[in-house]
């Protein structure tokens, strides 16, 4: 039952802590500190399992790391699709920055789903993420996120009460604007459940959403994302997908059988070249494109 109750525990303890009902257990304050509660739950989920491996980052980049939960305003140098700029403030959850003297500074912005929707390098190429010209998908598709699908149901003929099923894709970022009554003018982003930043690391949990609306499906997925500043311009990204479907559920109805971890986009006008390993030798090499 543990996966099933994680969402409930997070939401209910938040409410009790905010109301001052629970006496201090994690801290010595008179009310339960929500940030400490988030930190404890996120650490437990991401680290308290048999095959957990510690961060691969070496050194300590905490002194060069800063973060904020306050929306700093739209970055004009990101040059987002003008029609969608109005939605960014509602999308924004946190920003994390690395600052150094070697032209490798960066700022990432995280959406309500805890996923990265902006990666900006002021001294190099600028914005890494696409400009969001994808129709009806403001920071929903062409972002860095976890995606999962149930291939037993996804557009399968005869599997939904004898009819063809609708699309079954769960996006860590949120839903396309396909529901005329609810999302055509206001995007619906995945719902933040917990967040915590400390030292060189920011960690997030969110309830991921069925991407294609309208739909007969719900989402049993919690996505967890941890971003660690390794220094020297390097970001370590740790992802987890957590299925909280009730115990006893029919596997074909709730199993996630296909994953893009991560799904991402790149602004080709700023980063036109991709370096990939040779499929036979696994070696990385390239010729100067100029």
């Amino acid at each position: 039952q543990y996966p099933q109750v994680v969402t409930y525990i997070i939401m209910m303890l938040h409410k009790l802590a905010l109301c001052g009902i629970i006496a201090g257990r994690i801290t010595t304050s008179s009310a339960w500190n929500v940030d400490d509660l988030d930190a404890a739950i996120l650490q437990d989920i991401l680290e308290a399992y048999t095959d957990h491996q510690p961060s691969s980052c070496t050194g300590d980049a905490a002194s060069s790391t800063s973060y904020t939960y306050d929306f700093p305003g739209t970055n004009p140098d990101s040059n987002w699709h003008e029609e969608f700029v109005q939605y960014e403030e509602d999308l924004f959850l946190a920003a994390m920055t690395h600052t150094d003297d070697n032209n490798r500074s960066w700022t990432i912005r995280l959406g309500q789903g805890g996923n990265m929707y902006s990666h900006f390098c002021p001294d190099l190429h600028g914005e890494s993420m696409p400009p969001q010209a994808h129709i009806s998908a403001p920071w929903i598709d062409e972002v860095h996120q976890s995606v999962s699908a149930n291939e037993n149901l996804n557009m399968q003929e005869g599997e939904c009460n004898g009819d063809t099923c609708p699309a079954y894709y769960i996006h860590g970022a949120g839903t396309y604007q396909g529901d005329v009554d609810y999302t055509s003018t206001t995007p619906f982003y995945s719902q933040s459940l917990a967040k915590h930043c400390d030292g060189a690391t920011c960690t997030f949990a969110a309830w991921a959403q069925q991407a294609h609306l309208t739909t007969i499906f719900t989402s049993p997925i919690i996505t967890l994302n941890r971003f660690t500043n390794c220094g020297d311009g390097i970001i370590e990204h740790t992802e987890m997908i957590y299925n909280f479907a009730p115990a006893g559920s029919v596997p074909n109805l709730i199993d996630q059988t296909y994953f893009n971890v991560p799904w991402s986009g790149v602004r080709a006008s700023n980063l036109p070249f991709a370096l990939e390993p040779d499929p036979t030798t696994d070696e990385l090499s390239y010729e100067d494109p100029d």
Side-chain angles (χ1 to χ4, degrees), residues 97-141:
T97 297
H98 163 69
T99 305
D100 69 22
D101 298 323
N102 298 315
N103 295 328
R104 294 182 177 178
S105 298
W106 49 259
T107 294
I108 59 175
R109 294 191 180 197
L110 300 315
Q112 295 295 318
N115 64 291
M116 180 171 63
Y117 73 86
S118 173
H119 174 271
F120 189 82
C121 298
D123 302 314
L124 294 174
H125 57 271
E127 182 60 58
S128 304
M129 294 289 104
Q132 305 305 306
H134 190 311
I135 188 170
S136 299
W139 292 287
I140 293 298
D141 187 289

Side-chain angles (χ1 to χ4, degrees), residues 69-174:
Y69 301 132
D70 297 322
F71 181 56
T74 295
N75 179 359
D77 294 326
S78 289
N79 293 313
W80 300 121
H81 182 51
E82 185 176 355
E83 180 183 343
F84 292 155
V85 169
Q86 60 181 314
Y87 301 133
E88 189 189 359
E89 186 170 4
D90 289 337
L91 163 72
F92 179 87
L93 179 63
M96 181 179 181
T97 297
H98 163 69
T99 305
D100 69 22
D101 298 323
N102 298 315
N103 295 328
R104 294 182 177 178
S105 298
W106 49 259
T107 294
I108 59 175
R109 294 191 180 197
L110 300 315
Q112 295 295 318
N115 64 291
M116 180 171 63
Y117 73 86
S118 173
H119 174 271
F120 189 82
C121 298
D123 302 314
L124 294 174
H125 57 271
E127 182 60 58
S128 304
M129 294 289 104
Q132 305 305 306
H134 190 311
I135 188 170
S136 299
W139 292 287
I140 293 298
D141 187 289
E142 296 175 351
V143 293
H144 199 78
Q145 63 177 318
S146 302
V147 174
S148 66
N150 183 333
E151 296 170 300
N152 302 310
L153 298 175
N154 181 42
M155 295 183 286
Q156 293 298 309
E157 294 183 7
E159 293 299 323
C160 289
N161 297 321
D163 296 326
T164 299
C165 298
Y168 189 116
Y169 276 91
I170 294 177
H171 279 198

